[in-house]
Amino acid sequence: MREKDLERRLTEYNYPEGIVSTIKALRGAGYDAFLVGGCVRDIMLEREVVDFDIATDARPEDVIKLFRKVIPTGIKHGTVTVIEGGMEIEITTFRTESGYSDARRPDKVEFVSSIEDDLRRRDFTINAFAYDPLEHEFIDLFDGVSDLSKGVIRAVGDPVERFREDGLRPLRAVRIATALGFEIEMRTLIAIGETLECFKRVAKERVLDELRKIMRAVKPSVGFEYMRETGILEIIFPELLEGYGVTQNEFHAYDIYTHSLYSADFAPIDKPLVRWAALLHDVGKARTREVREDGRVTFYNHEVVSVRMAMVMLERIRFPKKEMEYVCNLIRWHMFNYTPEWTDSAVRRFIRRVGVDAVADLFDLRIADFHANGLNLGFPPYLDEFKKRIESILEAGDAITVRDLKVDGNDVMKIYGIGPSEKVGRVLNELLSVVIDEPQKNEREYLLNLLREWAQREGDED
Ligand code: ATP
Ligand code: MG
């Protein structure tokens, strides 16, 4: 794309009413006001704009006076959010900043009076534009449009210095390159390897934010490859590197590492947890790899080892516990081996183990896993048939969880003469096992009798 064409998109873009009125209000009160950062970049790339950020020389206390609906998001850092035309718009006072080291936000900011000084603190040339949609004034101090047209991520100023100021920037470079399909310019790329000490000190929450954004890109593998080449991966996920160059067997064209990355790419873009599971589902393979006497390579029990390793890895980046458990459950069961001989009971047991809500995601994981074997075998065999059998079983309304039983914990407690305890759950699960094998036994009277029998027998044994 030519530079002139990129700039023309800024003038032709249809700016939302809320943006226009906010900038008018600031200008009307005698202040400067520009659109800045990611939104200017995304308009030129014709990408969907996530959020519009406005920079101004007005101080936060003055901004507050100008608008009716204001949220004081981060007054100390110069940011307030105003609600205009139904949108939330962040307005930030021109500033410089220092000392990010391990905080989420800069420790210290200093307000400055010119937009140019504000742009100088920004990380990459394509993130350092300012644009005034009323006067069509476009400011590009660092040849960002040229980088944008070439698809290049380049640090503003000396990359080593900028990465030492804020150790998250290297990962931001990787993330933005991955999201946009850009390349990181050579000096900027080399600087990542030279400043890893600073990256190590960055707050885990900030790292996780960027990793999540990498997982939302079309090809997360691009980001992980950048991380491997620069040394970032060695710091956050050294476990993934254990599979680097480690060959597999006749079911795979790629080494373990590459297969993991491609699995994440093939998982649905709108299912980030499936993508995490895909990335980590085989991480235990390097540790379980064995070459048998006949030369066959096996990875016995790798799914269990993968779960253990995934927990350590995800805890390291402060992944929320609930989500971690969901991801690990998918990893745990990704090796299911359906054949048409499976009985209905076996299918019900499978659904029970995996969880009704997780079955569809497990299928998506399996499909991604299969596509990422590099053998071009089309679609995993029997998966469609298995899916249909699961659907018909769910439609039949057969009991799959203890909640589907015609008796509940109260019945168990009454009949056993016990209070709420672990045992209640255990007994209900035993009932479920009976019903899963023979669904017609899910009748209240039958189950109550069975409970009485069990309680009686236990009493006799004591
Ligand atoms: P997106 O919103 O698409 O994730 P973005 O570029 O808008 O990407 P934000 O995190 O929203 O990223 O930041 C907005 C702008 O603030 C950036 O475009 C950049 O100019 C500046 N910025 C953000 N984080 C940093 C940082 N760590 N160092 C320097 N400048 C930064
Ligand atoms: Mg943004």
Side-chain angles (χ1 to χ4, degrees):
M1 182 59 65
R2 282 174 29 230
E3 298 176 24
K4 276 276 156 292
D5 295 324
L6 290 171
E7 280 185 51
R8 202 179 52 235
R9 288 179 180 163
L10 286 174
T11 45
E12 288 170 356
Y13 187 78
N14 189 12
Y15 293 89
E17 195 36 52
I19 296 300
V20 175
S21 65
T22 302
I23 292 182
K24 268 192 186 148
L26 286 161
R27 294 258 158 176
Y31 300 110
D32 272 343
F34 295 92
L35 285 171
V36 284
C39 66
V40 184
R41 174 198 73 209
D42 290 341
I43 290 169
M44 283 195 272
L45 292 176
E46 289 188 319
R47 289 172 61 92
E48 193 199 343
V49 176
V50 193
D51 38 34
F52 288 89
D53 295 319
I54 292 175
T56 179
D57 56 348
R59 297 299 172 97
E61 56 273 20
D62 300 320
V63 175
I64 289 173
K65 284 183 207 145
L66 282 176
F67 297 92
R68 277 198 312 129
K69 286 192 193 151
V70 185
I71 310 165
T73 341
I75 300 258
K76 265 206 341 228
H77 305 104
T79 304
V80 297
T81 302
V82 303
I83 300 179
E84 277 282 304
M87 310 170 62
E88 289 193 1
I89 302 162
E90 279 202 356
I91 305 181
T92 304
T93 307
F94 298 157
R95 65 176 203 211
T96 60
E97 57 200 37
S98 57
Y100 261 94
S101 54
D102 61 353
R104 277 181 80 81
R105 293 188 175 249
D107 314 327
K108 217 171 73 197
V109 310
E110 217 170 290
F111 295 138
V112 292
S113 56
S114 77
I115 180 70
E116 284 79 11
D117 284 337
D118 182 273
L119 295 179
R120 266 182 261 281
R121 73 162 164 101
R122 295 176 183 270
D123 45 10
F124 305 109
T125 61
I126 61 163
N127 280 352
F129 303 123
Y131 184 69
D132 168 11
L134 302 183
E135 307 290 332
H136 298 297
E137 184 187 357
F138 177 55
I139 306 176
D140 173 18
L141 294 183
F142 313 104
D143 269 340
V145 179
S146 158
D147 286 336
L148 201 62
S149 74
K150 288 184 290 212
V152 168
I153 312 285
R154 183 194 313 272
V156 168
D158 176 32
V160 171
E161 223 169 83
R162 303 311 309 281
F163 292 171
R164 291 224 166 98
E165 271 168 21
D166 176 7
L168 185 70
R169 287 173 186 156
L171 188 53
R172 281 179 55 85
V174 169
R175 184 263 289 181
I176 297 166
T178 309
L180 302 182
F182 278 25
E183 265 177 43
I184 303 177
E185 172 272 328
M186 188 63 79
R187 279 182 58 229
T188 305
L189 188 68
I190 292 171
I192 296 181
E194 291 173 354
T195 55
L196 290 173
E197 288 311 310
C198 302
F199 172 72
K200 279 186 192 160
R201 290 197 300 270
V202 171
K204 296 292 186 300
E205 292 74 9
R206 299 180 76 204
V207 170
L208 177 58
D209 270 356
E210 298 299 333
L211 292 177
R212 283 189 193 272
K213 288 182 178 173
I214 287 171
M215 283 304 209
R216 284 203 296 267
V218 175
K219 287 189 178 169
S221 62
V222 172
F224 282 92
E225 267 297 271
Y226 265 130
M227 288 191 252
R228 183 184 63 78
E229 288 164 7
T230 53
I232 290 178
L233 199 58
E234 175 82 50
I235 295 169
I236 42 184
F237 288 155
E239 294 89 345
L240 275 176
L241 294 172
E242 291 176 22
Y244 185 75
V246 179
T247 56
Q248 306 198 59
N249 47 29
E250 70 272 24
F251 303 115
H252 288 278
Y254 302 120
D255 66 5
I256 300 169
Y257 165 86
T258 307
H259 168 65
S260 303
L261 264 54
Y262 286 169
S263 296
D265 287 0
F266 276 114
I269 193 163
D270 57 345
K271 288 191 172 185
L273 294 184
V274 177
R275 283 190 145 190
W276 280 102
L279 179 75
L280 303 177
H281 76 287
D282 277 351
V283 71
K285 269 190 166 177
R287 294 186 191 180
T288 53
R289 187 177 188 277
E290 266 178 58
V291 186
R292 295 191 329 192
E293 271 176 23
D294 61 3
R296 276 189 49 86
V297 177
T298 64
F299 305 98
Y300 183 67
N301 226 16
H302 76 269
E303 65 275 27
V304 175
V305 177
S306 292
V307 165
R308 267 203 306 270
M309 292 171 73
M311 280 168 58
V312 173
M313 296 165 78
L314 293 174
E315 271 170 11
R316 184 181 302 135
I317 55 168
R318 312 277 191 274
F319 213 73
K321 190 153 180 279
K322 275 252 146 42
E323 292 183 356
M324 178 180 79
E325 284 167 358
Y326 192 85
V327 168
C328 286
N329 183 54
L330 294 178
I331 297 174
R332 176 66 186 85
W333 302 117
H334 83 267
M335 288 295 289
F336 67 86
N337 193 6
Y338 174 80
T339 58
E341 291 83 53
W342 277 33
T343 61
D344 281 355
S345 301
V347 176
R348 281 189 292 268
R349 275 195 296 273
F350 171 83
I351 304 172
R352 173 193 190 182
R353 258 199 320 261
V354 172
V356 179
D357 301 333
V359 170
D361 286 351
L362 187 64
F363 273 58
D364 284 334
L365 170 59
R366 183 57 163 263
I367 294 165
D369 184 2
F370 196 78
H371 283 320
N373 63 19
L375 299 175
N376 284 316
L377 297 177
F379 200 76
Y382 296 129
L383 209 55
D384 267 334
E385 179 188 317
F386 190 21
K387 200 171 179 179
K388 287 203 185 90
R389 287 193 62 190
I390 289 174
E391 278 163 8
S392 71
I393 278 176
L394 290 177
E395 268 166 35
D398 293 347
I400 302 290
T401 76
V402 291
R403 281 190 307 277
D404 303 325
L405 291 169
K406 292 280 159 60
V407 295
D408 62 16
N410 289 320
D411 300 315
V412 175
M413 289 190 279
K414 218 180 288 165
I415 290 173
Y416 275 77
I418 56 174
S421 60
E422 225 182 285
K423 179 165 178 181
V424 180
R426 223 169 33 234
V427 172
L428 284 172
N429 270 300
E430 276 166 37
L431 283 181
L432 182 62
S433 296
V434 171
V435 166
I436 281 203
D437 282 335
E438 295 172 88
Q440 73 279 7
K441 289 189 170 167
N442 193 13
E443 292 293 339
R444 186 164 169 78
E445 274 317 306
Y446 179 86
L447 295 180
L448 288 174
N449 277 329
L450 194 58
L451 279 175
R452 286 183 199 114
E453 225 174 86
W454 288 355
Q456 175 83 42
R457 196 183 318 148
E458 225 173 77
D460 292 348
E461 280 166 14
D462 286 347

